Amino acid sequence: MPKIDSNAPLVITDCDEVLLRMVTHFRAWLAEDHAITMNVSRDFSGALRRDDGRTLEQEEVWTLLGGFFDAEMHRQDEVPGAIDAIRTLSLHAEVVVLTNLGDERREDRIRQLATFGIDLPVYTNQGPKGPALARIVEERGRDARGNLRPTFFIDDLAVHHGSAAEMVPHVTRLHFVGEPEVAAHTTCAFTAGHAHARIDNWQQALPWLLDRIKEHS
């Protein structure tokens, strides 16, 4: 990715369902290797069932998610338009990735993104992202004069937008769910007043972001 002036805006983006598709591949792996059915119309709580009808407990779900990210990240593919969008954004802003993975998987995510030609700083996080966003803004979010740079946050989960709105209210927040099957059932952070827009495809999201980045140029 090109070098960007330290006064340029800052874009902080999630990975799963924003840059790379995950849920549909997780569901396929569960069915193929574990005889587990996943209902994507709801969150992971109560969404996974074994063939005998038993609903998996939350701890079992977290274990399976860990197994997927340990051995199956190669299944993930691009959210349509994401790679070109990130390359374009990188011409106008500094872009970093904030992903909810354990710290031990940070290098795996870096290598995974590199296979798609995405070479960006990666931050890992657990739980709501507001505190992590605040730390990134403190580290990277000021220009040469110490003023806050225009900052943008892109994520697929409403809970993270709520956390961001509380912790870093000056950040422009785009709720983006790149998997249509998931998007149809996702609580909308824009409707809740925690995001500035809800756009679920890069064809429309990229111009929206570029227009707002140019407003601050």
Side-chain angles (χ1 to χ4, degrees):
M1 299 294 176
K3 278 267 189 185
I4 291 295
D5 185 277
S6 62
N7 294 323
L10 174 65
V11 174
I12 304 168
T13 180
D14 186 26
C15 181
D16 297 314
E17 310 308 341
V18 175
L19 305 182
L20 303 179
R21 299 195 311 146
M22 189 281 287
V23 169
T24 56
H25 299 297
F26 180 53
R27 179 178 64 176
W29 174 68
L30 289 173
E32 293 165 10
D33 290 12
H34 298 277
I36 292 172
T37 300
M38 177 178 171
N39 178 6
V40 298
S41 68
R42 55 189 299 174
D43 63 24
F44 290 145
S45 177
L48 276 62
R49 292 180 181 273
R50 296 199 178 275
D51 284 353
D52 62 7
R54 184 176 70 84
T55 300
L56 273 66
E57 299 295 332
Q58 192 64 46
E59 191 61 35
E60 296 175 282
V61 176
W62 288 122
T63 298
L64 286 163
L65 278 167
F68 178 86
F69 285 114
D70 281 340
E72 303 295 327
M73 288 171 71
H74 63 275
R75 291 175 176 253
Q76 294 186 255
D77 57 351
E78 175 193 9
V79 170
I83 295 170
D84 284 344
I86 290 301
R87 287 173 177 160
T88 300
L89 285 172
S90 295
L91 298 173
H92 304 277
E94 180 183 10
V95 183
V96 303
V97 174
L98 174 59
T99 183
N100 259 22
L101 289 178
D103 296 340
E104 72 279 5
R105 296 190 178 98
R106 177 176 172 272
E107 293 300 324
D108 293 334
R109 178 116 283 174
I110 291 172
R111 285 191 291 269
Q112 179 192 40
L113 290 171
T115 66
F116 293 91
I118 298 175
D119 179 18
L120 296 172
V122 172
Y123 292 83
T124 49
N125 179 69
Q126 296 82 52
K129 289 185 176 178
L133 285 166
R135 290 192 295 271
I136 294 171
V137 168
E138 184 61 30
E139 177 183 337
R140 295 178 176 268
R142 295 185 182 274
D143 63 22
R145 296 183 177 181
N147 299 315
L148 286 171
R149 298 159 66 184
T151 300
F152 301 82
F153 174 55
I154 312 165
D155 202 278
D156 67 313
L157 295 182
V159 64
H160 297 318
H161 289 284
S163 180
E166 179 180 356
M167 298 291 297
V168 282
H170 72 284
V171 170
T172 299
R173 301 173 296 280
L174 171 61
H175 191 183
F176 182 108
V177 187
E179 176 54 62
E181 194 172 0
V182 176
H185 304 282
T186 300
T187 301
C188 181
F190 174 67
T191 301
H194 297 150
H196 296 87
R198 167 73 182 270
I199 307 173
D200 292 333
N201 66 81
W202 279 109
Q203 184 179 5
Q204 294 174 295
L206 178 59
W208 186 89
L209 286 162
L210 290 175
D211 284 347
R212 279 142 193 84
I213 286 172
K214 289 172 183 175
E215 289 174 2
H216 297 286
S217 298

